[in-house]
Each structure stands twice: as C-alpha cells, then as structure tokens.
Amino acid sequence: MAGAAIAPLRTPSGELDREKIIDHVGALTDEAVDAVAVSTAHGHSAGVGEMVKLLRGTFPSLTIIAGNVTSAAGVEFLADCGANAVKIGQGPGSICTTRMVAGVGIPQLTALWAGGKGAAAKGVRILADGGIAQVGRHRQGAHPGRRRHLRRPVRRMPRSAGRDPRDQWQALQAVPRMGTLAAMKAGSAARYGHDKEDTTRKISAEGIEALKEVSGSVDSVLADLIGGLQSGMGYLGARNLGELRAKARYVHVTAAGQKEAGPHDVIEVSTKNHP
C-alpha cells in the first residue's frame, strides 16, 4: 500500500494550477497509488477545500486524506469537500512549536474527541497526527483516532533517514520537521502560510531541529506497540478494537498524577546503549 502527499500548487496569480495538479495525480493513479494526502498546517481553509474538491471531482474513486484540523467543524468542512479521512493535530509533535509561535492548537486527545464528533456526523475517518510519545499513547489514541501516524517511533529506527551518531555510547539521529526554518527555506514554507521566495517578510519557524536516540528495529518497535495495545485492551475487557472504543473512558489527570504514572523517586539503570 502506498500514498503520496500532494501540494496545492498555484499559478503566479495565486489560483490553483489545475492542469499541473491533475497531471501529477493522474500519473500517480496510473502507478496505482492507494491514497493522496492534501495536508497543511491549517486544513480548515478555502485553499485546502478547493484542492480537495478538485481532486474529488477529477478522481471520484481515489482515497483522499486532508488536514490538519483540530475541530469538529474542520472535519465536517473537509468531509463536505470530498475527503475520505481527515488528519487531526496542530502542535502535538515533540519538536513542533506551532502553539507557542502562532497561539493555535489544542491538546491532541481533546482535538481527537472533537474531530471524532464531526467524523461521526459525516461518516469519514480521522487520523491522529502527532503526540504519540509512549506505547500507552498508542492505546489512548485508538479510541477517538481510529488511525494513528507512527512518525516518532518510526523516525527513531536505525533505517530511517538522518542518522547522525555523535556520541560513542548513544546513536543519535536528526529529527526532520516541516516547520523548521531550514525546511521552510527548502520548500515547506507554503504549508505554514509563508512564501520562501518572498524576501520582504520574515519566515516564522514553527518547529525546532533536534536529535533523538535511535530505537530498535521495525519488528521490535511494532511488537512493543502491539503489546501495549493488547495490555490496555485487557485492562478494559475489550476483545477487539470495536469493544475498546465502546468501553474506553477518559479522565482529567493532574501534574501529580502524571508523575505518579511513570517511574519516579528512583535512578533508572539501563545498559541498552552500552557495548
């Protein structure tokens, strides 16, 4: 299964370059692509809606993913434009600074709950994009999100791009992010409402560049995620994902509760990164 991200290409006058977009997506469908994604930092916008409508009208059977939004209204808007699935998430990523820079976005679990309301009303799917830091988050996102992006676990694998061993004991790798200043200058500025060719105004970065410790292999990481999901289902008495969604309940957790939930008041001993 393969998908492709599609940029809302525009002419010098600012209108969608319909011919170029249709040729591009047409070539992808000729190669049997399964889905295309029209995703920007702000998906509840006229430009993204216009792009989705163009693709839906030209390729009626193509699976279209659109985003990103954090509200039921945003999900309903993109569904009405023709999206089959909508990406949820503005600022939940570990190195994303959108909420600090732009003052936009809400906590991811709340966004998934709100987006799920819109998805249920329109009969579309939602994708949880970002915010999965631990195995337990994968289980939590399974209820409202239905589908999750596994960007953080996957990008830490040894085979992912950007590996940069800078320490003899720890294998580190660069973490790519569309919102960094370097990425915007390289071509992702339009995703955040900026023009990299416009030298009259400053591009405001909505992400930082960072390093992450390399994790295990694909098999081991997926085994951890599956095991955590199964454990959570066991605690809830859920035999399948449908029962999990029906039985899951969420409560507000204080900072003290968050501290209690993880290892605390000890010095953790680990030899996994030593020879």
Side-chain angles (χ1 to χ4, degrees):
M1 182 173 291
I6 307 299
L9 302 174
R10 297 190 176 278
T11 65
S13 64
E15 298 179 350
L16 281 180
D17 193 332
R18 294 174 176 267
E19 183 177 354
K20 187 174 290 187
I21 292 170
I22 291 173
D23 287 347
H24 184 184
V25 178
L28 290 170
T29 58
D30 288 343
E31 296 296 329
V33 71
D34 296 288
V36 296
V38 183
S39 59
T40 70
H42 180 34
H44 192 180
S45 60
V48 176
E50 184 182 6
M51 178 76 169
V52 174
K53 288 178 181 179
L54 172 63
L55 293 178
R56 176 54 66 220
T58 309
F59 307 96
S61 61
L62 180 64
T63 297
I64 300 174
I65 303 167
N68 282 25
V69 301
T70 51
S71 67
V75 172
E76 293 176 4
F77 167 75
L78 291 173
D80 287 340
C81 291
N84 302 103
V86 179
K87 288 206 301 173
I88 306 294
Q90 291 174 317
S94 60
I95 57 175
C96 183
T97 59
T98 295
R99 296 179 193 172
M100 298 170 62
V101 172
V104 172
I106 60 176
Q108 183 69 330
L109 194 57
T110 303
L112 290 169
W113 177 84
K117 297 291 185 181
K122 295 294 181 178
V124 298
R125 302 276 187 172
I126 58 174
L127 277 154
D129 183 8
I132 297 178
Q134 295 89 25
V135 175
R137 299 279 182 87
H138 178 62
R139 208 293 303 156
Q140 292 169 350
H143 174 234
R146 302 297 179 98
R147 301 287 186 275
R148 276 83 56 211
H149 276 198
L150 300 179
R151 179 171 54 235
R152 185 185 295 192
V154 171
R155 74 183 178 206
R156 293 176 58 199
M157 295 175 186
R159 293 184 182 181
S160 65
R163 185 170 183 179
D164 182 15
R166 298 190 180 186
D167 186 284
Q168 61 176 329
W169 301 119
Q170 290 186 324
L172 302 176
Q173 64 183 165
V175 178
R177 182 66 187 184
M178 295 295 289
T180 63
L181 188 60
M184 285 190 178
K185 289 182 177 180
S188 70
R191 176 182 172 87
Y192 295 87
H194 298 283
D195 184 353
K196 71 183 182 71
E197 304 297 337
D198 184 358
T199 58
T200 63
R201 63 192 182 108
K202 181 181 180 295
I203 294 177
S204 297
E206 294 184 28
I208 63 170
E209 298 182 46
L211 296 173
K212 289 290 290 186
E213 182 182 355
V214 174
S215 62
S217 66
V218 174
D219 288 344
S220 64
V221 171
L222 291 180
D224 284 345
L225 292 173
I226 293 170
L229 181 60
Q230 290 174 331
S231 293
M233 293 170 66
Y235 278 102
L236 295 178
R239 292 170 295 182
N240 52 54
L241 292 178
E243 291 188 7
L244 170 63
R245 298 182 186 111
K247 295 184 176 184
R249 298 292 182 270
Y250 294 91
V251 298
H252 179 75
V253 178
T254 65
Q258 288 180 316
K259 180 180 178 181
E260 182 186 66
H264 52 277
D265 302 323
V266 296
I267 299 176
E268 184 176 2
V269 177
S270 175
T271 60
K272 66 178 180 179
N273 294 316
H274 291 267

